[in-house]
Amino acid sequence: MTAALSLCLLSVQPAAAQPAAGDHGDQRHADATAAVNGLLSWYNTGTGQFDTTGWWTNANDLQAVLDYWRAPGDTGGHDFKKLAADIYTKNVDKYDGQFRNDYLDDTGWWGLAWLRAYDLTKDPRYLKTAIADANHMWSYHDDVCGGGIWWNYPRQFKNTITNELFIELSAGIHNRLAGDTTHLRRALNVWHWFEDKKLINGDNLVNDGLNTSCVNTGLTTTWTYNQGVVLGGLAELHRATGDTAFLKQARTIADAVVTSPVLAPGGILSEPNDQDADPNGDQPSFKGAFMRNLGTLNRALPNHPYNTFIDKQADSLNTLDRNGDFYGYHWSGPYDRADGARQHSAIDALVAAIR
């Protein structure tokens, strides 16, 4: 069953954009609208999930649509509010309930999606779920390697992305929960551990995690999503504390990415192994997570220093990696194929370019 049959989610039409700070404001919104329509064509009302992608990438599909809803020039909340409720109702009891499962990073992605849904709807069940997710992640924090949160139930690996997601989620909860001190304390605890373990390497890029000796060797991959989620976490910590050092650190990482010959060859975002013709099922989501959080950082900075880089990604996607309403994996081209992960990543980049 498709969304068109039940939720009328494919009825989204381009709307007049609000005045944009740069050129092509109307076109930016129209491109994002087309990309959202493409993603919604995979929405399965039977499962409450987007076909073609897995569990954690579905969380990113949802957040991409919600961020489009939030952007200037959006088409209104009716359909997207219904979509969020449908996904929630049909999936809240899966696995360990409240969008928790045996991979703590999966839980973090869903927690952030429901935090965004709470921002837009003020439905308290979404905030309750985000809090349950953060508490679940914290239950896998211990003193091994001096702190940090494990990647999965068997406690096999203290990786970067899980801890970045926890920082952003917990600081974000604090910023929405009057009187909170617990979630901010936990977020700061994990951030200080992150710094102490030197997960940010000498090139100001973030490696993928620690080895079995609890060391960042600097040899693990610098995936784009590892560079991105930390930007969102640092922005939330700045919002929580007012400490500009968090934004300074975020800018140092972001500047390293946008000037990297590996992660941004020719100025277009790329994974370190993008010479591989066929990435695994996770990788197509990575660049979207970076762009979503770069957009968050860019909006938090008074001079919006990443406008040019963000615009360049949107332009390249539309000229070199687009087939109708669908987008592929290689943003510098050529277009390969479409799926929900590729599509939400494009939406993340296109929405970041709406101003």
Side-chain angles (χ1 to χ4, degrees):
M1 186 185 299
T2 67
L5 294 177
S6 177
L7 295 179
C8 301
L9 293 169
L10 300 185
S11 63
V12 181
Q13 298 296 325
Q18 295 176 6
D23 295 334
H24 315 305
D26 290 348
Q27 188 59 49
R28 293 297 191 215
H29 191 268
D31 291 336
T33 299
V36 167
N37 282 337
L39 179 61
L40 291 174
S41 72
W42 285 304
Y43 185 67
N44 185 324
T45 58
T47 63
Q49 296 182 33
F50 294 88
D51 293 336
T52 76
T53 53
W55 179 242
W56 78 269
T57 43
N58 259 270
N60 282 271
D61 292 339
L62 172 60
Q63 183 148 2
V65 171
L66 294 175
D67 283 348
Y68 167 81
W69 176 12
R70 186 181 63 162
D74 65 36
T75 56
H78 178 72
D79 287 334
F80 299 107
K81 184 175 182 179
K82 191 172 184 178
L83 172 67
D86 195 59
I87 292 172
Y88 187 91
T89 300
K90 290 173 179 170
N91 291 279
V92 67
D93 294 326
K94 286 181 68 68
Y95 303 117
D96 296 333
Q98 295 291 325
F99 297 87
R100 298 170 295 188
N101 72 343
D102 52 344
Y103 291 95
L104 284 305
D105 53 347
D106 291 9
T107 300
W109 293 114
W110 278 108
L112 288 172
W114 294 121
L115 204 59
R116 178 69 74 244
Y118 174 74
D119 288 343
L120 292 165
T121 68
K122 300 306 177 187
D123 187 329
R125 61 183 172 163
Y126 299 149
L127 180 58
K128 178 181 176 181
T129 289
I131 292 169
D133 291 343
N135 288 339
H136 178 64
M137 295 177 77
W138 182 253
S139 72
Y140 282 83
H141 176 277
D142 61 23
D143 292 334
V144 175
C145 297
I149 293 170
W150 292 97
W151 170 52
N152 60 5
Y153 284 4
R155 301 178 187 242
Q156 294 173 311
F157 181 36
K158 288 199 170 177
N159 65 341
T160 295
I161 193 62
T162 303
N163 286 278
E164 291 175 329
L165 290 164
F166 178 81
I167 293 166
E168 184 175 1
L169 178 58
S170 291
I173 290 168
H174 168 80
N175 289 330
R176 293 157 177 84
L177 192 62
D180 169 73
T181 58
T182 298
H183 294 284
L184 178 59
R185 174 178 51 80
R186 291 174 178 176
L188 288 168
N189 177 293
V190 174
W191 167 247
H192 293 317
W193 171 83
F194 194 96
E195 288 186 298
D196 290 344
K197 301 310 294 186
K198 296 181 172 57
L199 284 163
I200 304 168
N201 65 31
D203 295 324
N204 293 312
L205 296 174
V206 184
N207 289 111
D208 198 42
L210 304 178
N211 66 13
T212 55
S213 299
C214 299
V215 172
N216 176 22
T217 64
L219 300 177
T220 57
T221 308
T222 53
W223 301 112
T224 58
Y225 77 156
N226 284 332
Q227 320 311 312
V229 175
V230 70
L231 305 182
L234 290 166
E236 290 283 11
L237 286 173
H238 170 259
R239 179 181 168 190
T241 65
D243 188 345
T244 58
F246 292 118
L247 293 183
K248 182 178 179 181
Q249 178 64 80
R251 284 212 63 178
T252 299
I253 296 168
D255 288 348
V257 174
V258 303
T259 59
S260 169
V262 175
L263 296 182
I268 303 301
L269 199 62
S270 175
E271 296 304 331
N273 66 339
D274 259 9
Q275 68 274 12
D276 295 349
D278 190 21
N280 69 37
D282 289 340
Q283 285 174 224
S285 283
F286 291 178
K287 296 192 291 289
F290 177 81
M291 293 302 299
R292 180 190 313 143
N293 288 285
L294 182 68
T296 296
L297 174 63
N298 193 49
R299 289 188 296 273
L301 296 169
N303 57 341
H304 310 306
Y306 301 106
N307 280 355
T308 299
F309 181 83
I310 290 168
D311 287 342
K312 190 167 185 176
Q313 309 317 300
D315 290 339
S316 188
L317 275 161
N318 281 312
T319 57
L320 300 174
D321 195 31
R322 183 173 182 175
N323 181 16
D325 290 349
F326 297 96
Y327 293 83
Y329 175 69
H330 299 281
W331 290 5
S332 58
Y335 173 85
D336 57 350
R337 66 179 187 274
D339 61 29
R342 288 164 168 79
Q343 196 75 1
H344 89 67
S345 284
I347 293 168
D348 288 322
L350 296 169
V351 166
I354 298 174
R355 292 186 280 276

